[in-house]
Amino acid sequence: MDIIPKTWIDSVARFATRVDLYNFGRWLILACVIGVVAGLGAALLTWGVDGVQSVLQHRVVGFRPPSHGTHVGPWHPAERPWLLLLVMPAAGLLVGWIVQTFAPEAGGHGTDAVIHAYHRKGARLRRRVAPLKLVASAVTIGSGGSAGREGPVAQIGAGFASYLSDLIRLPVADRRVLVITGMAAGIGGVFRAPLGAALFAVEVLYSENEYESEALIPAIISSIVAFVVNAMLTGWEPIFAASVDRFVRPQELLAYLVLAVFLAVAGWAYVKTFYGMRDHVFRPMRVPRMVKPAIGALMVALIAVWLPQVMGGGYGWIQLMIGGQLPLLLLLLLVPAKILATSCTITSGGSGGVFAPSLVIGGVCGAVFASVASRVAPALAPPAAACVLVGMGGFFSGVAKVPIASLIMVAEMSGSYTLLVPMMLVSSVSFLLTRGVSIFESQVPRRVDSPAHLGDLQV
């Protein structure tokens, strides 16, 4: 009697003939290794931001922004707000020195640098960029700069993937897949949104409906591993705590359609302001480049003295908006203020991402719309919390050209999939209405427009 039935052996043989076991195992191992490193990088960035914030904002300035998720609590105005005019420029000067001395590509929003490297540099990133980006971003965000963690962790994960590709001498095509895998791992870990991050990484490279589908499975695996590693170190709860009723009123879709148009207009203004500040304010400045982040930080500090809601990633303020705890007048002021603060922080050379500020701007737009709609057309008005969440996803869909990833990421970050229908509508309409406008200028329209795929369509 055979120990192993012949039918089992035949099944394994058929499986082996249909699956390239070598490549399957290789990608599985590489994705897991990248996921572990990216998850650790996400945790280090979180601890770094919290540490700098504890010293500079809590102790020096006497300001404690509201927390988010299940730990949401009251906040109090800064005890010494005038110190922001000293603390933030000093932090900006430190960031400018770090970036300009060791790695200029560590400045700005890191995701765009990864996209540029993917299309035009053979997916190569210098080894020193990842650790320098971590330090510079922790100082920028922790000191109060209006930036997020998506760019830094994307560059950390992609940078390690590029280094690993050099180490094992992968061909360029495999290096590109691995860099996408690293970007997905970093974002999936820090935002606790593994599926959305994987979709984001394969979608954000192009401004049209184009995807790097061959990298999706490795990106999913690495994102899952990074999520688990980061969550074991920093917590398992979703970023936001949201209790939203399921979508059951079809008439609300009319209101959501109007919200999509509003978000598209705000997204257009955001992108134009962002690059307008870079091209017409900071780039022509006749000062050393290392000084420009300090000037941008000073401009943000002047706003933050009167409107502290513009500082940092803004997760706590989103949580308050979901709970309907911010007045309409403050929300109206916060839309242009956050756009200007983010533009000053990033385009001056500060280090950080644009995802978190985009969520804040989109959430504020949703909260403003909900407040106005409840007064003008209460029968059609969706709940305020729903408008905030849908606004977050719809706004980022338009400015980043990621209509699928944005709605999944917001659903994962809020722990709720009850609003998928309105999110799909708003994300799609916002994406279509903002064609030709993107916060990531290194995107190309389609694969055929990418130098990375120059020879793919040649016969």
Side-chain angles (χ1 to χ4, degrees):
M1 181 177 180
D2 295 334
I3 298 177
I4 302 177
K6 187 176 184 303
T7 54
W8 290 15
I9 298 176
D10 293 339
S11 298
V12 172
R14 285 194 298 270
F15 175 79
T17 58
R18 295 179 182 179
V19 178
D20 186 344
L21 292 180
Y22 169 75
N23 279 314
F24 171 79
R26 180 184 63 157
W27 285 119
L28 181 63
I29 293 172
L30 292 177
C32 289
V33 171
I34 292 173
V36 170
V37 174
L40 293 174
L44 287 174
L45 179 63
T46 299
W47 293 333
V49 171
D50 292 345
V52 174
Q53 185 181 64
S54 176
V55 173
L56 298 183
Q57 292 191 44
H58 297 178
R59 299 181 185 179
V60 178
V61 181
F63 174 65
R64 291 182 177 271
S67 55
H68 55 89
T70 56
H71 306 290
V72 64
W75 69 281
H76 303 283
E79 298 173 3
R80 298 170 292 278
W82 57 271
L83 281 177
L84 289 171
L85 302 176
L86 301 176
V87 170
M88 293 183 66
L93 189 61
L94 175 60
V95 170
W97 177 79
I98 293 174
V99 169
Q100 296 303 323
T101 303
F102 300 103
E105 60 267 45
H109 53 123
T111 303
D112 201 60
V114 176
I115 297 172
H116 178 75
Y118 179 88
H119 289 305
R120 305 186 183 281
K121 292 186 176 181
R124 291 183 180 276
L125 292 95
R126 290 201 294 169
R127 300 175 188 177
R128 66 175 67 180
V129 172
L132 291 173
K133 186 71 175 181
L134 191 153
V135 174
S137 298
V139 175
T140 299
I141 303 170
S143 64
S146 181
R149 305 174 188 182
E150 143 264 334
V153 292
Q155 213 161 0
I156 290 169
F160 175 73
S162 177
Y163 166 72
L164 185 60
S165 299
D166 285 336
L167 199 64
I168 59 178
R169 300 179 181 180
L170 287 180
V172 176
D174 290 347
R175 175 195 297 274
R176 291 201 298 263
V177 172
L178 218 58
V179 164
I180 295 175
T181 301
M183 178 164 57
I187 296 174
V190 79
F191 292 116
R192 302 172 195 169
L195 176 58
L199 294 172
F200 174 86
V202 301
E203 191 176 25
V204 75
L205 300 168
Y206 303 100
S207 58
E208 300 290 342
N209 289 324
E210 192 79 77
Y211 310 91
E212 288 292 344
S213 56
E214 65 270 18
L216 181 59
I217 299 304
I220 289 176
I221 295 171
S222 68
S223 188
I224 291 172
V225 174
F227 161 72
V228 172
V229 171
N230 180 69
M232 290 174 61
L233 298 173
T234 63
W236 294 88
E237 300 83 5
I239 301 294
F240 305 113
S243 178
V244 184
D245 294 335
R246 185 180 301 275
F247 171 76
V248 293
R249 300 176 65 220
Q251 63 269 28
E252 291 179 358
L253 291 178
L254 296 175
Y256 282 121
L257 191 60
V258 178
L259 173 59
V261 177
F262 179 36
L263 293 171
V265 173
W268 181 88
Y270 175 42
V271 175
K272 294 299 182 181
T273 302
F274 188 90
Y275 287 110
M277 291 294 295
R278 184 196 65 179
D279 296 336
H280 302 298
V281 177
F282 291 107
R283 192 170 274 177
M285 279 186 181
R286 296 185 177 181
V287 298
R289 289 187 176 181
M290 64 178 292
V291 178
K292 292 182 180 181
I295 297 174
L298 178 60
M299 296 169 69
V300 176
L302 291 171
I303 302 173
V305 167
W306 308 104
L307 201 64
Q309 289 82 3
V310 302
M311 293 195 298
Y315 291 159
W317 305 112
I318 294 177
Q319 188 65 64
L320 293 181
M321 283 187 283
I322 293 174
Q325 301 178 44
L326 297 184
L328 178 60
L329 179 60
L330 175 60
L331 295 171
L332 290 171
L333 293 173
L334 193 53
V335 173
K338 189 65 176 178
I339 290 176
L340 183 60
T342 304
S343 302
C344 291
T345 298
I346 303 298
T347 64
S348 66
S351 183
V354 294
F355 179 62
S358 298
L359 291 185
V360 175
I361 298 168
V364 173
C365 290
V368 169
F369 175 81
S371 181
V372 174
S374 63
R375 292 172 170 83
V376 175
L380 299 178
C387 287
V388 171
L389 294 175
V390 173
M392 289 160 55
F395 183 83
F396 192 65
S397 167
V399 300
K401 297 295 170 282
V402 285
I404 307 301
S406 60
L407 65 93
I408 299 298
M409 287 188 73
V410 171
E412 288 183 297
M413 293 174 69
S414 62
S416 173
Y417 289 87
T418 59
L419 295 174
L420 277 182
V421 170
M423 276 191 183
M424 291 166 63
L425 173 67
V426 174
S427 294
S428 301
V429 174
S430 176
F431 171 80
L432 293 173
L433 292 179
T434 54
R435 294 189 66 178
V437 176
S438 175
I439 201 69
F440 300 124
E441 64 176 357
S442 295
Q443 289 176 332
V444 297
R446 295 167 298 274
R447 290 168 66 99
V448 70
D449 302 302
S450 172
H453 296 287
L454 191 59
D456 289 1
L457 301 180
Q458 294 181 357
V459 178

